[in-house]
Amino acid sequence: MNYDVAIIGAGVIGAFAARELSRYNIRTALIERCNDMAMGTSKANSAIVHAGFDAIPGTLKARFNVEGTALMPKVCKELSVPFKPIGSLVVAFSDEEMKTLEKLLERGNKNGVPGLEIYGREKLREVEPNISEEAVGALFAPTAGIVCPYELTIAATENAVVNGAEFIRNFEVAGIDYSGDTFTLRSADKEIKAKIVVNAAGVYADKIAAMAGDNSINIIPRKGEYVLCDKTSGSLAKHVVFQCPTPMGKGVLVTPTVDGNLLLGPTAKDIEDKENTVTTAQSLAEVLEKTKKSFPTINTRDIITSFAGLRAHEDSDDFIIGKSAANPKFINAAGIESPGLSAAPAIGAYIAGLVRDELGADAKPDFTPVREEPVRFRNMTNEQRKALIEKNPAYGRIICRCETVTEGEILDAIKAPAGARDVDGVKRRTRAGMGRCQGGFCGSKVVELLAKELGVEVNEITKFGGNSRILYERTK
Amino acid sequence: MLNYDIVVVGGGPAGMAAAIRARECGIDSILILERAECLGGILEQCIHTGFGLQYFGEELSGPEYADRFICRVNEMGIEYKTDTMVLDVTEDKKVYAINKTDGLLEIQAKSVILAMGCRERPRGALNIAGTRASGIMSAGTAQKYVNIDGYMPGKKIVILGSGDIGLIMARRMTLEGAKVECVCELMPYSSGLTRNIVQCLDDFGIPLKLSHTVIDIQGKDRVTGVTIAKVDENLKPIPGTEENIECDTLMLSVGLIPENELTKNAGISLDRVTSGAVVDEYRETDHKGIFACGNVLHVHDLVDFVTQESQIAGEGAANYVKGLKNEAKYITTKGVGAVRYIVPQKVNILNEGDVKLFFRVGSTFKNATVKVSYNGSELISRKRPRLAPGEMENVVIKNDMLKGFSEGGVIEITVEG
């Protein structure tokens, strides 16, 4: 297949690049090695939109963070993704740490972060009532917020596809050739041709760049482990609560999620293996221990799951965004670690601009920035539910009890543009299986619906593509 | 808005027994709401035998046991709706439910019987380290795949937790041609029934590794192995005892949790130990006219006991609807020491019958004495050759004893030996 541009990697960066490119008359392919989008860093991170006081002034991180965070409310509205600007607090536990807050405030002002303010002990307790007695103050950032990173990635991809981009799954780029005007991307058994390539391959961005002759990038996967608590703990924290960075380390954050759970973490450990997302007992213990420093009343009985994600840390400690020195038609979006999620809308727009100028493409008159809001039965009033079931009885059958997800919503997720193809894909789109029973009750029903809708046998359905199938052959 | 005298939430063994008993007590207007495609609850996937020994005096499979009650429900013309999920039960006994044919149902009940059963504890709650590969599932989920759907969820299996479902599945998977490598149990004893350990593990040569847990799960796409380790008296893994076991499936049977979301939303008080409602001897919660029975109240070992308990609740609900319930003077019950909990948590001393108190111990005992006292003075002392956390015990408080109690008194049960 021939495209104007091929984006390698359907994480949040690739998805936003595709969405922004779909504004123009450009044939775009969004290529993903896995069975779904948001399968790497974009599905396992802190799920927060940073205000932008962390990054060193003058860096790409600082620029794109502040720009992206400013775009986030509008983009989330267009894509029907919940974004809650709950604000963030960096909490200090000593006078020395209060001095660090002053420095962060100053840095934030330089980066153009609006509304920063330092709270004393009383004000902090007033806005964050469960915070530790030991906390002496905090830096408040009103523009910080929370968003679901995979929901954002899925929504951006869907919007790109509706506007003409193609989403190609299970295509793992094994080699890249360049003929002088066209790239050929090779997988084990297929080829894709494109005039321009965007490298948004996350922890593999260095390998992909090297395939195109650019050896300037070196990505170290930095593992972060998280603990997720039940919705009954969701209101423990009211803001994104960071601990003040100290010479001893960065501490952990405690934040509600947009879905009302409580998220704790992450740890930070540089590793070699780009596939290593195992959780370890030590790290999980570390997360809980550090969480207690901020919120001593955390109830560990409310833990429902834990997970690990890999940050794509680049040696330069900054994002690498722009045309490769090795080939101007090869555009890198590499080293996208925190604040990558916050920066994604801005990075996507910037990359689309580069490609548009390179190709001299026109804007598409029929581009629609709006992604229709999916049905969310659990958020509806009984009147709305009544009307919905009358229109389509599939919304009258609850599949996931814990999260109140209906058959209709699961069918929608499968039928959506770039829809779900596996159990985890359904989970990320609908929350079926994400509640306190973790799919114990609904798992087999989701398998059944997937098999029926995709026209395959139930034992061909996987948890997340590849060899992750759930069932073997029929019983005797 | 529909109106019923009694709405029963859940059409498993508890809900059916409660509804049948209420009908026997003269209540005509009863509706059972069941989320699955048919009545019977979890029994439908329990195709092994061992059900009914206590209640029917014969050994039945799960579906056979359920069928006896389904037949009674049909013979008596008790109404039920399947494929129907209850979304909400309010304090004033309005029940909101949905299904594909009726859409959103709004039902005003005079009395509500909560019989939602329980769910299995998932992996996440244990925080086991390792990958998120496919092949990690609860024993009950595996049971559904094998017995209802007819597919094998794994071939080489390690089971964590020696709860009854795990033990049953060890045998079931073996009979279906899978290799069950071992069953690991964190505690120094099994929480399963002795007969299941003998018939499901010993008879098939499956090792039960007590004081062992899974500390790591390997495999990128599908599970390829787990690491197990012995634990010390504080249940912490002992370094140097790690053992890697190749397998494609980790099955979890690590406890059941009463499914009380509806109960909580209705504002009903729960017992921290049972995770079920606080009830009186008729299984009435602290909301007048709302009853709870079966595994949603506390996890039972045998369905026979669920049936018996639910009949009591059905009778209680019928009495409530008929306005028969007299004023109440309550005493409370309290488990002391090794007695983890007692159901019911309170007893009306104006009750005219005997009252059976069910309780569970927290560790194993041999040749123990169960002592029941009232306000500190001993009432009953009974020898028991063996007590185990996996086996529910009971003592009967005779009505003449009840008559001697006064409001606000406390019955305590302890175990010595």
Side-chain angles (χ1 to χ4, degrees):
Chain A
M1 290 294 286
N2 290 296
Y3 297 91
D4 292 325
V5 54
I7 303 164
I8 302 174
V12 71
I13 301 298
F16 267 102
R19 189 242 182 184
E20 294 303 317
L21 279 165
S22 71
R23 292 176 187 273
Y24 307 104
N25 281 311
I26 294 174
R27 278 178 54 79
T28 303
L30 176 60
I31 301 171
E32 171 55 47
R33 72 184 177 117
C34 297
N35 201 32
D36 204 3
M37 61 290 256
M39 285 296 284
T41 305
S42 300
K43 82 168 152 80
N45 58 66
S46 303
I48 53 181
V49 176
H50 290 270
F53 52 77
D54 249 339
I56 310 294
T59 60
L60 291 179
K61 282 184 179 176
R63 172 190 161 183
F64 284 107
N65 182 353
V66 176
E67 280 183 31
T69 298
L71 287 172
M72 199 60 83
K74 176 171 174 263
V75 163
C76 286
K77 192 156 181 261
E78 287 174 346
L79 296 177
S80 300
V81 173
F83 166 66
K84 293 186 186 167
I86 58 172
S88 68
L89 295 166
V90 182
V91 177
F93 292 89
S94 66
D95 292 346
E96 197 161 320
E97 289 185 10
M98 285 301 281
K99 283 182 199 143
T100 311
L101 297 189
E102 296 285 351
K103 281 185 201 141
L104 289 176
L105 174 74
E106 195 183 315
R107 200 194 284 169
N109 288 337
K110 270 192 196 148
N111 287 345
V113 180
L116 293 175
E117 200 182 324
I118 289 187
Y119 287 167
R121 183 188 281 270
E122 250 114 81
K123 177 76 180 174
L124 170 59
R125 227 149 246 100
E126 186 191 316
V127 299
E128 197 61 71
N130 300 316
I131 198 79
S132 162
E133 287 295 321
E134 311 287 317
V136 296
L139 173 65
F140 173 63
T143 52
I146 49 177
V147 70
C148 174
Y150 46 79
E151 196 171 353
L152 190 61
T153 307
I154 290 165
T157 307
E158 282 186 11
N159 187 236
V161 169
V162 165
N163 284 300
E166 252 180 79
F167 177 53
I168 299 168
R169 311 165 203 258
N170 299 313
F171 189 105
E172 182 165 1
V173 176
I176 301 175
D177 300 324
Y178 187 60
S179 69
D181 61 356
T182 305
F183 288 96
T184 302
L185 310 182
R186 284 178 282 103
S187 74
D189 54 354
K190 288 191 200 80
E191 278 186 5
I192 287 172
K193 289 185 191 298
K195 293 175 194 153
I196 294 178
V197 168
V198 175
N199 172 17
V203 290
Y204 286 98
D206 52 352
K207 302 274 179 253
I208 294 292
M211 287 180 201
D214 179 347
N215 292 307
S216 67
I217 302 173
N218 186 37
I219 307 265
I220 313 262
R222 183 169 285 175
K223 185 155 83 172
E225 298 188 34
Y226 294 87
V227 170
L228 189 76
C229 298
D230 191 76
K231 291 180 176 179
T232 50
S233 271
S235 59
L236 188 74
K238 314 293 176 200
H239 302 80
V240 179
V241 178
F242 301 96
Q243 292 169 348
C244 195
T246 69
M248 297 299 292
K250 217 181 139 195
V252 296
L253 67 88
V254 178
T255 179
T257 69
V258 279
D259 297 297
N261 298 80
L262 190 75
L263 183 64
L264 323 172
T267 54
K269 194 175 179 209
D270 290 349
I271 57 170
E272 306 239 315
D273 180 2
K274 297 189 180 206
E275 298 291 319
N276 176 354
T277 53
V278 303
T279 51
T280 61
Q282 300 92 302
S283 296
L284 297 176
E286 181 192 327
V287 168
L288 289 176
E289 165 102 30
K290 288 186 174 170
T291 297
K292 282 181 185 149
K293 186 178 173 196
S294 302
F295 291 93
T297 56
I298 178 82
N299 184 358
T300 52
R301 275 169 62 140
D302 275 341
I303 294 171
I304 54 177
T305 192
S306 51
F307 60 89
L310 303 179
R311 310 169 182 88
H313 178 73
E314 213 279 331
D315 287 354
S316 65
D317 207 21
D318 198 6
F319 297 159
I320 296 175
I321 296 171
K323 294 176 183 176
S324 165
N327 186 339
K329 308 278 183 182
F330 188 86
I331 298 172
N332 285 309
I336 313 291
E337 57 182 333
S338 176
L341 176 62
S342 322
I347 296 175
Y350 177 77
I351 288 174
L354 289 182
V355 175
R356 175 201 57 205
D357 294 348
E358 194 67 38
L359 294 170
D362 305 326
K364 213 186 277 172
D366 56 349
F367 171 79
T368 167
V370 176
R371 174 223 186 204
E372 213 180 301
E373 188 174 5
V375 169
R376 290 285 177 256
F377 189 85
R378 66 179 168 276
N379 296 336
M380 292 179 157
T381 64
N382 278 341
E383 274 59 46
Q384 291 171 318
R385 288 169 172 176
K386 210 178 233 169
L388 183 69
I389 302 169
E390 266 165 36
K391 234 170 40 194
N392 181 352
Y395 295 109
R397 185 174 174 228
I398 302 277
I399 300 295
C400 168
R401 160 82 187 82
C402 302
E403 295 290 323
T404 320
V405 182
T406 63
E407 182 180 309
E409 291 165 86
I410 291 171
L411 295 177
D412 290 347
I414 302 168
K415 289 175 186 162
R421 293 289 173 272
D422 50 44
V423 174
D424 283 358
V426 168
K427 178 165 95 171
R428 281 191 295 275
R429 283 167 181 79
T430 66
R431 292 190 64 76
M434 250 181 214
R436 42 186 79 91
C437 94
Q438 292 283 296
F441 172 67
C442 65
S444 67
K445 295 185 178 182
V446 171
V447 169
E448 230 171 83
L449 287 172
L450 271 166
K452 201 170 148 206
E453 212 47 46
L454 301 176
V456 299
E457 290 294 315
V458 291
N459 59 1
E460 290 173 59
I461 298 300
T462 62
K463 187 168 184 286
F464 49 80
N467 297 316
S468 70
R469 68 182 181 149
I470 291 163
L471 300 171
Y472 292 89
E473 65 271 20
R474 280 201 154 276
T475 48
K476 289 184 283 188
Chain B
M1 175 84 73
L2 301 170
N3 286 283
Y4 283 89
D5 283 351
I6 298 178
V7 171
V8 182
V9 184
M16 290 194 291
I20 291 166
R21 186 76 191 112
R23 170 60 56 88
E24 286 166 355
C25 292
I27 305 298
D28 285 331
S29 162
I30 302 173
L31 176 65
I32 303 174
L33 300 172
E34 165 57 39
R35 70 180 179 187
E37 296 81 3
C38 59
L39 293 175
I42 207 71
L43 286 175
E44 294 300 323
Q45 69 183 52
C46 301
I47 62 170
H48 54 282
T49 59
F51 302 93
L53 283 167
Q54 303 267 340
Y55 188 74
F56 291 112
E58 51 187 309
E59 195 167 13
L60 304 172
S61 69
E64 285 172 326
Y65 188 96
D67 195 51
R68 297 207 174 181
F69 292 86
I70 295 171
C71 290
R72 279 294 277 161
V73 166
N74 285 324
E75 279 161 27
M76 295 175 118
I78 298 173
E79 279 181 65
Y80 59 86
K81 288 179 185 293
T82 53
D83 250 325
T84 303
M85 184 74 85
V86 174
L87 299 175
D88 206 10
V89 176
T90 66
E91 275 185 56
D92 54 353
K93 305 184 199 73
K94 277 198 189 70
V95 178
Y96 294 90
I98 62 162
N99 66 33
K100 283 185 170 181
T101 43
D102 301 299
L104 185 86
L105 289 157
E106 270 183 82
I107 309 162
Q108 177 66 60
K110 288 180 185 160
S111 173
V112 176
I113 300 175
L114 303 172
M116 292 86 78
C118 58
R119 63 163 179 265
E120 298 176 278
R121 275 180 82 199
R123 175 237 184 134
L126 307 179
N127 239 340
I128 308 171
T131 67
R132 266 84 202 124
S134 180
I136 306 163
M137 68 193 79
S138 67
T141 303
Q143 190 177 44
K144 177 171 185 285
Y145 282 133
V146 177
N147 293 347
I148 304 285
D149 302 339
Y151 282 93
M152 290 294 279
K155 292 174 175 175
K156 219 165 162 14
I157 296 151
V158 169
I159 299 178
L160 175 61
S162 60
D164 287 310
I165 314 170
L167 300 176
I168 293 289
M169 283 311 291
R171 176 175 64 185
R172 186 80 191 106
M173 295 307 290
T174 307
L175 291 174
E176 285 294 342
K179 173 92 173 80
V180 177
E181 298 292 336
C182 65
V183 175
C184 292
E185 169 59 58
L186 179 70
M187 305 303 285
Y189 53 82
S190 165
S191 59
L193 295 170
T194 309
R195 73 172 195 219
N196 282 336
I197 293 171
V198 175
Q199 294 170 8
C200 299
L201 300 187
D202 298 353
D203 289 357
F204 294 89
I206 299 167
L208 172 61
K209 289 175 174 281
L210 296 174
S211 298
H212 275 74
T213 193
V214 172
I215 57 165
D216 190 36
I217 304 170
Q218 297 104 31
K220 188 176 165 292
D221 285 357
R222 178 84 195 189
V223 171
T224 56
V226 298
T227 306
I228 66 169
K230 200 167 166 36
V231 298
D232 62 21
E233 58 274 20
N234 300 316
L235 309 180
K236 296 274 175 250
I238 302 170
T241 64
E242 298 87 357
E243 185 187 340
N244 292 315
I245 304 179
E246 225 178 86
C247 62
D248 59 26
T249 304
L250 174 64
M251 225 176 253
L252 301 173
S253 179
V254 290
L256 299 168
I257 306 168
E259 196 137 75
N260 271 303
E261 276 65 37
L262 293 173
T263 322
K264 273 186 224 166
N265 287 344
I268 290 166
S269 306
L270 298 186
D271 181 322
R272 268 188 64 87
V273 181
T274 60
S275 301
V278 172
V279 292
D280 71 6
E281 76 280 12
Y282 275 110
R283 308 303 186 262
E284 188 175 21
T285 67
D286 60 0
H287 278 30
K288 292 288 153 219
I290 302 185
F291 295 77
C293 56
N295 281 350
V296 79
L297 184 58
H298 58 131
V299 177
H300 295 64
D301 331 316
L302 298 177
V303 69
D304 308 63
F305 295 147
V306 167
T307 300
Q308 286 162 354
E309 176 173 271
S310 305
Q311 289 171 332
I312 296 170
E315 193 173 326
N319 288 345
Y320 177 85
V321 170
K322 290 190 278 188
L324 286 183
K325 186 151 182 196
N326 297 321
E327 59 169 320
K329 285 186 179 173
Y330 285 117
I331 54 163
T332 53
T333 63
K334 194 176 160 211
V336 178
V339 177
R340 288 187 59 234
Y341 73 78
I342 303 173
V343 170
Q345 289 87 348
K346 56 186 182 178
V347 176
N348 180 4
I349 54 176
L350 304 177
N351 186 320
E352 277 159 21
D354 300 342
V355 173
K356 208 182 250 186
L357 302 181
F358 293 87
F359 66 95
R360 210 179 269 285
V361 291
S363 48
T364 48
F365 290 90
K366 274 187 180 152
N367 299 321
T369 309
V370 174
K371 291 194 167 168
V372 184
S373 64
Y374 173 71
N375 284 353
S377 49
E378 189 172 308
L379 277 183
I380 303 168
S381 177
R382 296 252 188 290
K383 287 269 178 224
R384 294 284 157 93
R386 193 176 167 278
L387 291 170
E391 308 201 5
M392 196 156 66
E393 297 290 330
N394 66 74
V395 290
V396 176
I397 307 294
K398 292 276 181 204
N399 192 253
D400 53 3
M401 287 182 187
L402 273 189
K403 293 268 183 289
F405 299 162
S406 46
E407 192 168 9
V410 181
I411 289 186
E412 291 185 339
I413 303 181
T414 55
V415 173
E416 288 171 9

